[in-house]
Amino acid sequence: MNPGNPPLTSTPSVTVAGYLAALDAQITTRRSISDRAWAWAFVTHALAVAEITDTALQDRSEVDGTEGRASGPGSTAAVWVSPHMSWAMDDLVDAGVRTTSPDLPSVDISSRPDVIAGALRRLIITADLTDESAPPLLREAVRAAGRRAVLAHEAYAGPLP
Amino acid sequence: MTAAHEHAVRARAEVQHAAFAGSRVAGEVLDARGRLLDAVAHHVEVAIGPVRVATWTAIRPVPPRTPTADPVPQAVVSWISTLRTAAHVSHEHVPDSSGSRDVHAAVVDLRAARELVRAASDLIATHRGLDGALLPGAPFPLAATDLGGLVTRAIDVAGAIASNEPWALRAREAGVPRRELDRALPLDSPLRVHTQALSRLLGDLASTIDTITVARPAIDTTDPAIEWRLRTDRIRARIEHHAANGRVSARTLHDIASLTLVVHHVLTTNHPHDAAHAVMVPSAAARLVAHLAPLRSAHPADPTIRADVLRLLDLAHPSTTPDTGDRVRILRAIEASVPTVDSAQLTATRLAATLTDAWVPARRLPGYLRSPHPPGRAVQPAPAFSPANSDGVDHARHPTLT
C-alpha cells in the first residue's frame, strides 16, 4: 500500500494555485523522477481518500436525519481516483521507490476537486519526463503511473485540456 | 455424462449385433470397456470427493449397522470397489490386442464415452483444492451431502455395460480361450448386482449435476454484462478462498473496497432516489480504504483480483459504454452484482480485522546499522481495524482536509 502517514498540517487555507505551489516546492526538490511521481500519486490518493471518507460521514449524518439522503455513501467521483493512485504507488514501490511522503497543507473542501485534478496533471507531466539513469523497471512504473493518472483524470475531471 | 451414456448404450448394441473379428479385436473391445469402467469409478470418486470416499471406506468395517444409518454411502463404496476390480481384472487378463488391424465399432463408442466421462471428472475437479476439499463457492450439488443425483448419472453409464455375459459370449465366439475369459469376465462378477442395487437404492433422482460448469470459467469478453458478472463472481470466489487460507494482502483488501465504492457510486448516481442500496457496506468500504491508505503490505496483491477490479472499473465508467442500450444492460448487471460485491466486501472487512501483514515504512537506517529488512522498510504490527467503528473514520490518523 502507501508508505507514510499523511501528516496533514493545520496551516491556513490557501488558494488552489497556492496549495499546488506549496506542494510543488516540496516535491520538485526530490532528485529522481520516480520519487516525484510517487509523491504526486501520494498527494492525489490522500486527497481522494479524504473526499471519500468525508462523503461517507456526510451521508451517514443525512441518513440519520429526517430529510433522507440525496446521494449515497461514496458518491463522489474520487472513487475513480483512489484505486488508480494506489496501484500507481504500489507499482512504484515494487520497482524500488523509497521516499518520504510530503506534508499536506489544509485545503478548503470546495477547492479539493480542483486540487485533485491539478495534482493529477502534475503527475502526468512528471511521468512524461524520462530518467535515462533509472532502471527499466522503474522507468516503466513511472510511465504506468502517468497512464493511470490519465485514466483517473478522465474519470474524475473529464478529458485532459 | 448423458452423451457418455448414449455412447455406452450404442457400444452394447454393437456388441450384440456384430461379432468380433478375432481374439485381438476382442481384446481391444474388452480393454476399452475396462478403461471406461475405471473412468466411471474415478468420476464417482471425484464427484463425491476423495476425502469423503476415504472416510466412508475407513468406517465401513464398523459393526453393527444401526437401523438409522444411511445405506447409500456403503453401497457407493462397494460399487466403486467393484468397478475398480472389474476394470483391473479386465485389464490384467484381457487377450493381447497389439497388431489388431480391425477396429470394432464398439471400441470407438467406448473410447468416446471414456473421454466424455474423464472430461466431466476434470470439470468437477476444478472445484476442488489439492487436498480434495471443495473450494469456496462450489456449486450446491457438489457441496450437498445428498449424492443421489451425482451418482445416478454414473450408474447410467456403467449400467449400460455392466453385464459380463454379452461381452464374454462374443469373445468366446472370437476364439478367446475359456480360461482367460473366466478371469477377465467372470460370470459371477458382482458388478451388475451392485450397480442394480445402488440404482434401486437411489431411485430415479433428478440431478442438477449437468448444470455445473468449471470452477474458473474463461471470462467472456464479448458481452460487457456477462463479463461483469463473471469477474465479480471470480473476485468473490478468490477472496473467500483467501479467507479460507487465512492469508490475504492489504493491497487486495484495498482493491475490493475500491470496487465496492465504485459499484455503489455508479448505482447512486444513476438511481439517486433509490434508497435500496445498502448504506452499511459502502460505509465499511470507505472506512477500510481510509484505514489502509497509509499502510503498505509486505505481500503482493492478488493479480487476478487486481486485474478484474481494473477491468470492472473500466466497464463501470460511462465513457466505456457510450451506447445507451449497452449502458442500460451494464447498469442492470452492476445492480444484480450488488449481493456478490457486498459479500466480497464483508469478507474483506472481516479479513481486515485480523490483518497482520500490513506495515508502515520506517526511516532509512544509517549505513553503519544493519537491518534484517530491506532498506527503508520495517515490519510493524498492523493497526487494529474495527469493522463496527460507528464513527466511520479514525479522525486521529486521517483528519479531514478542511
Side-chain angles (χ1 to χ4, degrees):
Chain A
M1 298 299 302
N2 322 315
N5 289 305
L8 305 172
T9 56
S10 56
T11 54
S13 293
V14 291
T15 62
V16 173
Y19 187 91
L20 289 171
L23 287 171
D24 265 332
Q26 288 187 64
I27 293 172
T28 50
T29 56
R30 296 168 191 242
R31 277 202 306 184
S32 73
I33 290 170
S34 54
D35 283 2
R36 281 181 242 160
W38 182 91
W40 280 118
F42 173 85
V43 166
T44 317
H45 182 259
L47 292 167
V49 169
E51 188 156 314
I52 290 169
T53 51
D54 278 358
T55 311
L57 284 175
Q58 178 191 345
D59 288 328
R60 179 172 289 270
S61 64
E62 288 178 1
V63 168
D64 293 341
T66 56
E67 294 182 0
R69 114 182 114 89
S71 58
S75 60
T76 162
V79 296
W80 303 104
V81 178
S82 161
H84 281 295
M85 292 301 98
S86 176
W87 296 335
M89 282 189 287
D90 283 349
D91 291 345
L92 288 164
V93 167
D94 289 345
V97 170
R98 301 287 182 271
T99 185
T100 55
S101 51
D103 292 336
L104 288 177
S106 299
V107 63
D108 188 74
I109 287 179
S110 59
S111 304
R112 196 186 285 150
D114 292 333
V115 173
I116 291 176
L120 282 170
R121 286 195 287 272
R122 275 160 177 74
L123 173 54
I124 294 165
I125 292 166
T126 304
D128 268 349
L129 304 172
T130 304
D131 184 358
E132 295 297 341
S133 62
L137 186 64
L138 199 52
R139 286 206 300 268
E140 176 50 34
V142 172
R143 281 195 292 269
R147 290 194 294 271
R148 292 190 189 283
V150 170
L151 289 173
H153 192 283
E154 286 177 359
Y156 183 74
L160 287 165
Chain B
M1 291 298 283
T2 306
H5 173 238
E6 288 169 2
H7 279 292
V9 169
R10 203 175 303 148
R12 182 184 62 189
E14 281 152 357
V15 169
Q16 287 172 340
H17 291 103
F20 298 155
S23 63
R24 291 186 187 278
V25 173
E28 201 174 26
V29 173
L30 298 184
D31 182 59
R33 175 179 176 264
R35 289 177 187 274
L36 175 56
L37 291 175
D38 191 52
V40 171
H42 176 68
H43 175 75
V44 174
E45 272 192 350
V46 170
I48 295 173
V51 176
R52 201 184 291 169
V53 171
T55 308
W56 289 352
T57 307
I59 64 173
R60 186 162 52 152
V62 178
R65 177 183 292 174
T66 60
T68 56
D70 184 2
V72 172
Q74 305 308 325
V76 169
V77 169
S78 299
W79 185 56
I80 292 173
S81 171
T82 310
L83 281 170
R84 293 257 190 237
T85 305
H88 177 71
V89 296
S90 181
H91 180 69
E92 284 291 308
H93 303 292
V94 75
D96 182 20
S97 61
S98 57
S100 171
R101 293 178 180 175
D102 299 323
V103 177
H104 196 275
V107 172
V108 178
D109 276 309
L110 289 169
R111 286 177 179 164
R114 176 169 170 257
E115 288 305 310
L116 289 166
V117 171
R118 290 180 64 176
S121 306
D122 291 344
L123 184 149
I124 290 177
T126 63
H127 292 278
R128 299 192 182 279
L130 292 176
D131 58 353
L134 280 176
L135 297 172
F140 177 75
L142 292 179
T145 52
D146 181 10
L147 302 165
L150 288 174
V151 180
T152 46
R153 291 291 179 275
I155 289 176
D156 288 345
V157 178
I161 57 170
S163 179
N164 279 352
E165 278 186 347
W167 312 82
L169 285 172
R170 284 297 183 199
R172 186 75 187 94
E173 186 184 59
V176 178
R178 177 65 182 266
R179 186 183 298 172
E180 285 185 30
L181 273 182
D182 282 345
R183 288 197 294 253
L185 298 168
L187 293 180
D188 61 347
S189 168
L191 177 60
R192 188 173 62 85
V193 176
H194 281 181
T195 305
Q196 287 178 342
L198 186 59
S199 180
R200 274 197 302 273
L201 204 57
L202 294 171
D204 186 17
L205 295 173
S207 173
T208 54
I209 186 73
D210 294 339
T211 64
I212 292 177
T213 56
V214 291
R216 295 174 288 278
I219 300 294
D220 179 3
T221 56
T222 56
D223 185 337
I226 294 174
E227 183 180 355
W228 181 277
R229 179 176 58 78
L230 292 174
R231 289 192 190 275
T232 49
D233 285 348
R234 182 160 74 178
I235 286 173
R236 180 176 63 173
R238 287 191 75 90
I239 192 66
E240 287 178 357
H241 178 68
H242 289 311
N245 288 348
R247 287 180 70 87
V248 66
S249 166
R251 297 179 179 192
T252 297
L253 300 183
H254 188 281
D255 292 346
I256 301 261
S258 297
L259 175 65
T260 307
L261 289 170
V262 165
V263 163
H264 287 272
H265 169 71
V266 169
L267 292 178
T268 305
T269 50
N270 284 280
H271 307 285
H273 303 297
D274 185 358
H277 307 309
V279 176
M280 293 309 296
V281 171
S283 294
R287 280 202 304 274
L288 186 56
V289 165
H291 172 78
L292 296 172
L295 304 180
R296 196 166 54 187
S297 171
H299 295 289
D302 181 323
T304 304
I305 289 181
R306 176 154 291 187
D308 281 344
V309 171
L310 178 60
R311 175 62 182 153
L312 290 176
L313 261 58
D314 190 32
L315 285 174
H317 198 263
S319 63
T320 309
T321 46
D323 180 69
T324 310
D326 287 347
R327 186 65 187 160
V328 169
R329 291 192 70 237
I330 193 78
L331 284 173
R332 283 187 187 145
I334 292 173
E335 195 160 25
S337 73
V338 166
T340 305
V341 173
D342 284 354
S343 170
Q345 176 58 46
L346 290 174
T347 305
T349 306
R350 183 162 49 84
L351 287 171
T354 58
L355 190 68
T356 57
D357 77 324
W359 48 286
V360 294
R363 293 177 182 279
R364 288 176 187 275
L365 289 174
Y368 55 85
L369 289 179
R370 288 195 172 186
S371 166
H373 307 294
R377 294 182 174 185
V379 178
Q380 297 182 8
F385 175 69
S386 170
N389 181 5
S390 59
D391 283 343
V393 177
D394 183 348
H395 293 275
R397 293 197 318 105
H398 299 282
T400 307
L401 299 181
T402 54

